[in-house]
Amino acid sequence: MAPAKPEEKTRDAYRFLLPVPAGSGKELLVAEERQYSQSLALTNLNSDTIAFYVSSRAVSEKAKQALQNIAERKAELAKTTASRQEEERKVQRIRDEQNRIRQNMDRLNSGSDLYKRYVGQLEAQEGDLEKLFVRIDALVAKEREQKESLDAYMANLVIE
């Protein structure tokens, strides 16, 4: 026989009323349950934290799948961001090189062979810059699309 609720609650104990005839004893089974919940801001989780929760036995299978999906999306976004940053570094290197060439050209006679070679290098670099700008624009668009997709996925994610 298990009572539905205690007769009295104190800070440290629950008191149950159980009639027991004199000289005898009864066993009283009481089950206590606690519900635990935890909230996480998914946008701030790094890959190590996500891996920790994915490997945890306390996390439901549905939550693990959602976290794995988030980790994969974040990894793709990071890859795109790294590619864009590398292309931007290439642009900066070309600009630095162009500045160096222009400084050298200022000291040369415009009819010299070296001056003409520098003009050819600048023309080639301008073509390279145009191609880099096209790639950077495409990567920025892809990055924005991936971020919006990740944000939408997390905003609509419900795990129970």
Side-chain angles (χ1 to χ4, degrees):
M1 174 174 127
K5 62 180 186 170
E7 288 292 318
E8 182 181 348
K9 293 180 185 178
T10 67
R11 186 175 62 100
D12 298 323
Y14 294 112
R15 294 194 176 106
F16 295 91
L17 180 62
L18 181 65
V20 179
S24 67
K26 281 191 176 179
E27 187 176 299
L28 176 65
L29 297 175
V30 177
E32 186 176 15
E33 291 182 7
R34 289 186 184 202
Q35 292 185 352
Y36 293 97
S37 65
Q38 184 176 18
S39 298
L40 297 170
L42 295 175
T43 55
N44 298 333
L45 293 180
N46 62 31
S47 58
D48 291 338
T49 305
I50 290 174
F52 168 77
Y53 283 110
V54 167
S55 65
S56 173
R57 291 188 303 200
V59 176
S60 72
E61 204 53 44
K62 187 175 179 182
K64 287 180 183 183
Q65 290 172 354
L67 288 170
Q68 189 64 40
N69 191 332
I70 290 169
E72 290 168 2
R73 289 172 184 243
K74 282 187 168 199
E76 284 298 314
L77 176 58
K79 184 178 173 185
T80 302
T81 300
S83 295
R84 176 189 48 82
Q85 290 171 340
E86 178 57 31
E87 297 299 298
E88 289 171 346
R89 282 190 289 276
K90 289 177 185 177
V91 166
Q92 189 57 49
R93 282 194 296 271
I94 290 173
R95 285 184 174 158
D96 291 345
E97 176 68 10
Q98 285 183 331
N99 286 334
R100 185 191 67 78
I101 290 172
R102 285 188 184 102
Q103 287 174 355
N104 288 342
M105 289 174 76
D106 286 342
R107 296 181 185 99
L108 295 173
N109 181 341
S110 63
S112 73
D113 289 341
L114 183 56
Y115 188 92
K116 291 174 185 174
R117 193 175 92 204
Y118 280 155
V119 169
Q121 282 181 317
L122 288 174
E123 287 174 353
Q125 288 174 337
E126 284 301 315
D128 292 343
L129 282 174
E130 288 176 18
K131 293 173 189 172
L132 285 169
F133 289 139
V134 168
R135 287 198 298 261
I136 289 170
D137 287 344
L139 288 167
V140 166
K142 183 177 179 181
E143 197 175 0
R144 183 176 45 252
E145 179 184 302
Q146 288 173 328
K147 177 127 179 54
E148 288 171 357
S149 174
L150 175 62
D151 290 345
Y153 176 77
M154 289 191 298
N156 296 317
L157 183 62
V158 176
I159 301 172
E160 294 180 19

PDB file of all heavy atoms in Angstrom, residues 114-140:
ATOM      1  N   LEU A 114      61.861  46.900 -67.670  1.00  0.00           N
ATOM      2  CA  LEU A 114      61.344  46.524 -66.343  1.00  0.00           C
ATOM      3  C   LEU A 114      60.000  47.201 -66.076  1.00  0.00           C
ATOM      4  O   LEU A 114      59.075  46.571 -65.553  1.00  0.00           O
ATOM      5  CB  LEU A 114      62.355  46.886 -65.251  1.00  0.00           C
ATOM      6  CG  LEU A 114      61.989  46.480 -63.824  1.00  0.00           C
ATOM      7  CD1 LEU A 114      61.708  44.978 -63.738  1.00  0.00           C
ATOM      8  CD2 LEU A 114      63.093  46.888 -62.855  1.00  0.00           C
ATOM      9  N   TYR A 115      59.880  48.445 -66.460  1.00  0.00           N
ATOM     10  CA  TYR A 115      58.616  49.173 -66.295  1.00  0.00           C
ATOM     11  C   TYR A 115      57.505  48.455 -67.064  1.00  0.00           C
ATOM     12  O   TYR A 115      56.412  48.239 -66.550  1.00  0.00           O
ATOM     13  CB  TYR A 115      58.783  50.619 -66.779  1.00  0.00           C
ATOM     14  CG  TYR A 115      57.586  51.498 -66.477  1.00  0.00           C
ATOM     15  CD1 TYR A 115      57.528  52.235 -65.301  1.00  0.00           C
ATOM     16  CD2 TYR A 115      56.522  51.605 -67.366  1.00  0.00           C
ATOM     17  CE1 TYR A 115      56.440  53.050 -65.020  1.00  0.00           C
ATOM     18  CE2 TYR A 115      55.424  52.410 -67.096  1.00  0.00           C
ATOM     19  CZ  TYR A 115      55.388  53.131 -65.915  1.00  0.00           C
ATOM     20  OH  TYR A 115      54.302  53.927 -65.633  1.00  0.00           O
ATOM     21  N   LYS A 116      57.811  48.066 -68.308  1.00  0.00           N
ATOM     22  CA  LYS A 116      56.816  47.363 -69.133  1.00  0.00           C
ATOM     23  C   LYS A 116      56.463  46.006 -68.525  1.00  0.00           C
ATOM     24  O   LYS A 116      55.309  45.577 -68.576  1.00  0.00           O
ATOM     25  CB  LYS A 116      57.347  47.201 -70.562  1.00  0.00           C
ATOM     26  CG  LYS A 116      57.442  48.512 -71.299  1.00  0.00           C
ATOM     27  CD  LYS A 116      58.094  48.333 -72.653  1.00  0.00           C
ATOM     28  CE  LYS A 116      58.286  49.700 -73.312  1.00  0.00           C
ATOM     29  NZ  LYS A 116      59.028  49.609 -74.546  1.00  0.00           N
ATOM     30  N   ARG A 117      57.467  45.339 -67.964  1.00  0.00           N
ATOM     31  CA  ARG A 117      57.189  44.052 -67.301  1.00  0.00           C
ATOM     32  C   ARG A 117      56.269  44.256 -66.094  1.00  0.00           C
ATOM     33  O   ARG A 117      55.337  43.479 -65.868  1.00  0.00           O
ATOM     34  CB  ARG A 117      58.502  43.399 -66.869  1.00  0.00           C
ATOM     35  CG  ARG A 117      58.301  41.935 -66.475  1.00  0.00           C
ATOM     36  CD  ARG A 117      59.602  41.250 -66.175  1.00  0.00           C
ATOM     37  NE  ARG A 117      59.831  41.393 -64.737  1.00  0.00           N
ATOM     38  CZ  ARG A 117      61.004  41.338 -64.146  1.00  0.00           C
ATOM     39  NH1 ARG A 117      62.095  41.167 -64.852  1.00  0.00           N
ATOM     40  NH2 ARG A 117      61.104  41.470 -62.851  1.00  0.00           N
ATOM     41  N   TYR A 118      56.521  45.322 -65.342  1.00  0.00           N
ATOM     42  CA  TYR A 118      55.658  45.626 -64.193  1.00  0.00           C
ATOM     43  C   TYR A 118      54.223  45.920 -64.638  1.00  0.00           C
ATOM     44  O   TYR A 118      53.263  45.493 -63.984  1.00  0.00           O
ATOM     45  CB  TYR A 118      56.208  46.819 -63.411  1.00  0.00           C
ATOM     46  CG  TYR A 118      57.354  46.498 -62.476  1.00  0.00           C
ATOM     47  CD1 TYR A 118      58.268  47.493 -62.122  1.00  0.00           C
ATOM     48  CD2 TYR A 118      57.526  45.228 -61.940  1.00  0.00           C
ATOM     49  CE1 TYR A 118      59.320  47.225 -61.261  1.00  0.00           C
ATOM     50  CE2 TYR A 118      58.587  44.959 -61.080  1.00  0.00           C
ATOM     51  CZ  TYR A 118      59.470  45.955 -60.742  1.00  0.00           C
ATOM     52  OH  TYR A 118      60.500  45.684 -59.882  1.00  0.00           O
ATOM     53  N   VAL A 119      54.073  46.612 -65.734  1.00  0.00           N
ATOM     54  CA  VAL A 119      52.727  46.898 -66.266  1.00  0.00           C
ATOM     55  C   VAL A 119      52.021  45.583 -66.584  1.00  0.00           C
ATOM     56  O   VAL A 119      50.847  45.390 -66.264  1.00  0.00           O
ATOM     57  CB  VAL A 119      52.796  47.819 -67.514  1.00  0.00           C
ATOM     58  CG1 VAL A 119      51.439  47.881 -68.215  1.00  0.00           C
ATOM     59  CG2 VAL A 119      53.271  49.212 -67.130  1.00  0.00           C
ATOM     60  N   GLY A 120      52.741  44.656 -67.190  1.00  0.00           N
ATOM     61  CA  GLY A 120      52.166  43.338 -67.496  1.00  0.00           C
ATOM     62  C   GLY A 120      51.769  42.588 -66.231  1.00  0.00           C
ATOM     63  O   GLY A 120      50.709  41.946 -66.179  1.00  0.00           O
ATOM     64  N   GLN A 121      52.599  42.675 -65.201  1.00  0.00           N
ATOM     65  CA  GLN A 121      52.276  42.013 -63.929  1.00  0.00           C
ATOM     66  C   GLN A 121      51.016  42.621 -63.304  1.00  0.00           C
ATOM     67  O   GLN A 121      50.153  41.902 -62.806  1.00  0.00           O
ATOM     68  CB  GLN A 121      53.441  42.137 -62.951  1.00  0.00           C
ATOM     69  CG  GLN A 121      54.574  41.181 -63.215  1.00  0.00           C
ATOM     70  CD  GLN A 121      55.691  41.342 -62.186  1.00  0.00           C
ATOM     71  OE1 GLN A 121      56.059  42.453 -61.842  1.00  0.00           O
ATOM     72  NE2 GLN A 121      56.223  40.220 -61.725  1.00  0.00           N
ATOM     73  N   LEU A 122      50.933  43.941 -63.331  1.00  0.00           N
ATOM     74  CA  LEU A 122      49.743  44.605 -62.770  1.00  0.00           C
ATOM     75  C   LEU A 122      48.481  44.204 -63.521  1.00  0.00           C
ATOM     76  O   LEU A 122      47.433  43.972 -62.908  1.00  0.00           O
ATOM     77  CB  LEU A 122      49.930  46.130 -62.788  1.00  0.00           C
ATOM     78  CG  LEU A 122      50.925  46.700 -61.786  1.00  0.00           C
ATOM     79  CD1 LEU A 122      51.119  48.197 -62.023  1.00  0.00           C
ATOM     80  CD2 LEU A 122      50.469  46.445 -60.362  1.00  0.00           C
ATOM     81  N   GLU A 123      48.582  44.119 -64.838  1.00  0.00           N
ATOM     82  CA  GLU A 123      47.421  43.703 -65.639  1.00  0.00           C
ATOM     83  C   GLU A 123      46.995  42.284 -65.279  1.00  0.00           C
ATOM     84  O   GLU A 123      45.806  41.993 -65.110  1.00  0.00           O
ATOM     85  CB  GLU A 123      47.736  43.809 -67.130  1.00  0.00           C
ATOM     86  CG  GLU A 123      47.799  45.220 -67.652  1.00  0.00           C
ATOM     87  CD  GLU A 123      48.250  45.313 -69.110  1.00  0.00           C
ATOM     88  OE1 GLU A 123      48.656  44.271 -69.691  1.00  0.00           O
ATOM     89  OE2 GLU A 123      48.205  46.424 -69.657  1.00  0.00           O
ATOM     90  N   ALA A 124      47.960  41.393 -65.141  1.00  0.00           N
ATOM     91  CA  ALA A 124      47.647  39.999 -64.784  1.00  0.00           C
ATOM     92  C   ALA A 124      47.030  39.930 -63.383  1.00  0.00           C
ATOM     93  O   ALA A 124      46.059  39.198 -63.151  1.00  0.00           O
ATOM     94  CB  ALA A 124      48.908  39.143 -64.851  1.00  0.00           C
ATOM     95  N   GLN A 125      47.580  40.712 -62.483  1.00  0.00           N
ATOM     96  CA  GLN A 125      47.048  40.710 -61.116  1.00  0.00           C
ATOM     97  C   GLN A 125      45.630  41.278 -61.065  1.00  0.00           C
ATOM     98  O   GLN A 125      44.806  40.814 -60.279  1.00  0.00           O
ATOM     99  CB  GLN A 125      47.979  41.491 -60.183  1.00  0.00           C
ATOM    100  CG  GLN A 125      49.264  40.756 -59.892  1.00  0.00           C
ATOM    101  CD  GLN A 125      50.236  41.584 -59.080  1.00  0.00           C
ATOM    102  OE1 GLN A 125      50.187  42.808 -59.068  1.00  0.00           O
ATOM    103  NE2 GLN A 125      51.160  40.893 -58.405  1.00  0.00           N
ATOM    104  N   GLU A 126      45.350  42.262 -61.894  1.00  0.00           N
ATOM    105  CA  GLU A 126      43.990  42.809 -61.931  1.00  0.00           C
ATOM    106  C   GLU A 126      42.999  41.730 -62.388  1.00  0.00           C
ATOM    107  O   GLU A 126      41.897  41.638 -61.862  1.00  0.00           O
ATOM    108  CB  GLU A 126      43.913  44.034 -62.845  1.00  0.00           C
ATOM    109  CG  GLU A 126      44.508  45.281 -62.233  1.00  0.00           C
ATOM    110  CD  GLU A 126      43.837  45.702 -60.925  1.00  0.00           C
ATOM    111  OE1 GLU A 126      42.590  45.698 -60.862  1.00  0.00           O
ATOM    112  OE2 GLU A 126      44.559  46.032 -59.974  1.00  0.00           O
ATOM    113  N   GLY A 127      43.412  40.923 -63.350  1.00  0.00           N
ATOM    114  CA  GLY A 127      42.562  39.801 -63.784  1.00  0.00           C
ATOM    115  C   GLY A 127      42.355  38.802 -62.651  1.00  0.00           C
ATOM    116  O   GLY A 127      41.248  38.300 -62.445  1.00  0.00           O
ATOM    117  N   ASP A 128      43.436  38.531 -61.922  1.00  0.00           N
ATOM    118  CA  ASP A 128      43.331  37.617 -60.775  1.00  0.00           C
ATOM    119  C   ASP A 128      42.384  38.182 -59.712  1.00  0.00           C
ATOM    120  O   ASP A 128      41.581  37.448 -59.114  1.00  0.00           O
ATOM    121  CB  ASP A 128      44.710  37.363 -60.153  1.00  0.00           C
ATOM    122  CG  ASP A 128      45.637  36.574 -61.056  1.00  0.00           C
ATOM    123  OD1 ASP A 128      45.145  35.947 -62.028  1.00  0.00           O
ATOM    124  OD2 ASP A 128      46.854  36.589 -60.791  1.00  0.00           O
ATOM    125  N   LEU A 129      42.493  39.493 -59.479  1.00  0.00           N
ATOM    126  CA  LEU A 129      41.618  40.126 -58.480  1.00  0.00           C
ATOM    127  C   LEU A 129      40.147  40.011 -58.870  1.00  0.00           C
ATOM    128  O   LEU A 129      39.296  39.728 -58.016  1.00  0.00           O
ATOM    129  CB  LEU A 129      41.997  41.601 -58.285  1.00  0.00           C
ATOM    130  CG  LEU A 129      43.224  41.887 -57.437  1.00  0.00           C
ATOM    131  CD1 LEU A 129      43.554  43.375 -57.451  1.00  0.00           C
ATOM    132  CD2 LEU A 129      43.027  41.399 -56.007  1.00  0.00           C
ATOM    133  N   GLU A 130      39.861  40.227 -60.131  1.00  0.00           N
ATOM    134  CA  GLU A 130      38.473  40.113 -60.599  1.00  0.00           C
ATOM    135  C   GLU A 130      37.925  38.714 -60.315  1.00  0.00           C
ATOM    136  O   GLU A 130      36.795  38.563 -59.844  1.00  0.00           O
ATOM    137  CB  GLU A 130      38.379  40.436 -62.088  1.00  0.00           C
ATOM    138  CG  GLU A 130      38.556  41.911 -62.402  1.00  0.00           C
ATOM    139  CD  GLU A 130      38.549  42.198 -63.902  1.00  0.00           C
ATOM    140  OE1 GLU A 130      38.074  41.341 -64.689  1.00  0.00           O
ATOM    141  OE2 GLU A 130      39.023  43.291 -64.273  1.00  0.00           O
ATOM    142  N   LYS A 131      38.716  37.690 -60.623  1.00  0.00           N
ATOM    143  CA  LYS A 131      38.288  36.306 -60.360  1.00  0.00           C
ATOM    144  C   LYS A 131      38.100  36.058 -58.869  1.00  0.00           C
ATOM    145  O   LYS A 131      37.143  35.393 -58.454  1.00  0.00           O
ATOM    146  CB  LYS A 131      39.313  35.317 -60.928  1.00  0.00           C
ATOM    147  CG  LYS A 131      39.387  35.312 -62.433  1.00  0.00           C
ATOM    148  CD  LYS A 131      40.528  34.439 -62.913  1.00  0.00           C
ATOM    149  CE  LYS A 131      40.748  34.606 -64.406  1.00  0.00           C
ATOM    150  NZ  LYS A 131      41.957  33.915 -64.855  1.00  0.00           N
ATOM    151  N   LEU A 132      39.015  36.594 -58.061  1.00  0.00           N
ATOM    152  CA  LEU A 132      38.908  36.427 -56.605  1.00  0.00           C
ATOM    153  C   LEU A 132      37.649  37.102 -56.068  1.00  0.00           C
ATOM    154  O   LEU A 132      36.955  36.548 -55.206  1.00  0.00           O
ATOM    155  CB  LEU A 132      40.152  36.983 -55.903  1.00  0.00           C
ATOM    156  CG  LEU A 132      41.405  36.131 -55.998  1.00  0.00           C
ATOM    157  CD1 LEU A 132      42.628  36.907 -55.512  1.00  0.00           C
ATOM    158  CD2 LEU A 132      41.240  34.847 -55.199  1.00  0.00           C
ATOM    159  N   PHE A 133      37.342  38.289 -56.571  1.00  0.00           N
ATOM    160  CA  PHE A 133      36.151  38.998 -56.106  1.00  0.00           C
ATOM    161  C   PHE A 133      34.875  38.225 -56.439  1.00  0.00           C
ATOM    162  O   PHE A 133      33.936  38.173 -55.634  1.00  0.00           O
ATOM    163  CB  PHE A 133      36.079  40.413 -56.686  1.00  0.00           C
ATOM    164  CG  PHE A 133      37.101  41.355 -56.110  1.00  0.00           C
ATOM    165  CD1 PHE A 133      37.758  42.255 -56.929  1.00  0.00           C
ATOM    166  CD2 PHE A 133      37.420  41.343 -54.765  1.00  0.00           C
ATOM    167  CE1 PHE A 133      38.713  43.129 -56.412  1.00  0.00           C
ATOM    168  CE2 PHE A 133      38.366  42.210 -54.230  1.00  0.00           C
ATOM    169  CZ  PHE A 133      39.016  43.104 -55.055  1.00  0.00           C
ATOM    170  N   VAL A 134      34.846  37.582 -57.606  1.00  0.00           N
ATOM    171  CA  VAL A 134      33.692  36.756 -57.977  1.00  0.00           C
ATOM    172  C   VAL A 134      33.562  35.579 -57.009  1.00  0.00           C
ATOM    173  O   VAL A 134      32.473  35.275 -56.512  1.00  0.00           O
ATOM    174  CB  VAL A 134      33.809  36.272 -59.441  1.00  0.00           C
ATOM    175  CG1 VAL A 134      32.775  35.192 -59.755  1.00  0.00           C
ATOM    176  CG2 VAL A 134      33.663  37.447 -60.401  1.00  0.00           C
ATOM    177  N   ARG A 135      34.685  34.924 -56.701  1.00  0.00           N
ATOM    178  CA  ARG A 135      34.662  33.790 -55.764  1.00  0.00           C
ATOM    179  C   ARG A 135      34.263  34.240 -54.363  1.00  0.00           C
ATOM    180  O   ARG A 135      33.495  33.561 -53.681  1.00  0.00           O
ATOM    181  CB  ARG A 135      36.010  33.075 -55.744  1.00  0.00           C
ATOM    182  CG  ARG A 135      36.263  32.249 -56.989  1.00  0.00           C
ATOM    183  CD  ARG A 135      37.367  31.205 -56.796  1.00  0.00           C
ATOM    184  NE  ARG A 135      38.664  31.750 -56.486  1.00  0.00           N
ATOM    185  CZ  ARG A 135      39.653  31.938 -57.359  1.00  0.00           C
ATOM    186  NH1 ARG A 135      39.462  31.624 -58.624  1.00  0.00           N
ATOM    187  NH2 ARG A 135      40.811  32.423 -56.980  1.00  0.00           N
ATOM    188  N   ILE A 136      34.790  35.384 -53.935  1.00  0.00           N
ATOM    189  CA  ILE A 136      34.455  35.893 -52.600  1.00  0.00           C
ATOM    190  C   ILE A 136      32.958  36.208 -52.513  1.00  0.00           C
ATOM    191  O   ILE A 136      32.308  35.850 -51.525  1.00  0.00           O
ATOM    192  CB  ILE A 136      35.307  37.133 -52.242  1.00  0.00           C
ATOM    193  CG1 ILE A 136      36.754  36.703 -51.985  1.00  0.00           C
ATOM    194  CG2 ILE A 136      34.736  37.860 -51.029  1.00  0.00           C
ATOM    195  CD1 ILE A 136      37.736  37.856 -51.862  1.00  0.00           C
ATOM    196  N   ASP A 137      32.422  36.847 -53.544  1.00  0.00           N
ATOM    197  CA  ASP A 137      30.986  37.151 -53.544  1.00  0.00           C
ATOM    198  C   ASP A 137      30.151  35.877 -53.448  1.00  0.00           C
ATOM    199  O   ASP A 137      29.162  35.819 -52.716  1.00  0.00           O
ATOM    200  CB  ASP A 137      30.593  37.941 -54.800  1.00  0.00           C
ATOM    201  CG  ASP A 137      31.089  39.385 -54.761  1.00  0.00           C
ATOM    202  OD1 ASP A 137      31.464  39.868 -53.666  1.00  0.00           O
ATOM    203  OD2 ASP A 137      31.104  40.028 -55.841  1.00  0.00           O
ATOM    204  N   ALA A 138      30.557  34.843 -54.177  1.00  0.00           N
ATOM    205  CA  ALA A 138      29.838  33.567 -54.136  1.00  0.00           C
ATOM    206  C   ALA A 138      29.942  32.933 -52.744  1.00  0.00           C
ATOM    207  O   ALA A 138      28.961  32.396 -52.223  1.00  0.00           O
ATOM    208  CB  ALA A 138      30.377  32.613 -55.197  1.00  0.00           C
ATOM    209  N   LEU A 139      31.116  33.008 -52.138  1.00  0.00           N
ATOM    210  CA  LEU A 139      31.297  32.432 -50.796  1.00  0.00           C
ATOM    211  C   LEU A 139      30.529  33.212 -49.740  1.00  0.00           C
ATOM    212  O   LEU A 139      29.972  32.619 -48.811  1.00  0.00           O
ATOM    213  CB  LEU A 139      32.786  32.363 -50.443  1.00  0.00           C
ATOM    214  CG  LEU A 139      33.586  31.300 -51.194  1.00  0.00           C
ATOM    215  CD1 LEU A 139      35.077  31.512 -51.025  1.00  0.00           C
ATOM    216  CD2 LEU A 139      33.176  29.902 -50.734  1.00  0.00           C
ATOM    217  N   VAL A 140      30.467  34.523 -49.879  1.00  0.00           N
ATOM    218  CA  VAL A 140      29.683  35.342 -48.938  1.00  0.00           C
ATOM    219  C   VAL A 140      28.203  34.956 -49.031  1.00  0.00           C
ATOM    220  O   VAL A 140      27.526  34.801 -48.006  1.00  0.00           O
ATOM    221  CB  VAL A 140      29.888  36.852 -49.218  1.00  0.00           C
ATOM    222  CG1 VAL A 140      28.843  37.696 -48.503  1.00  0.00           C
ATOM    223  CG2 VAL A 140      31.283  37.281 -48.801  1.00  0.00           C
TER     224      VAL A 140
END
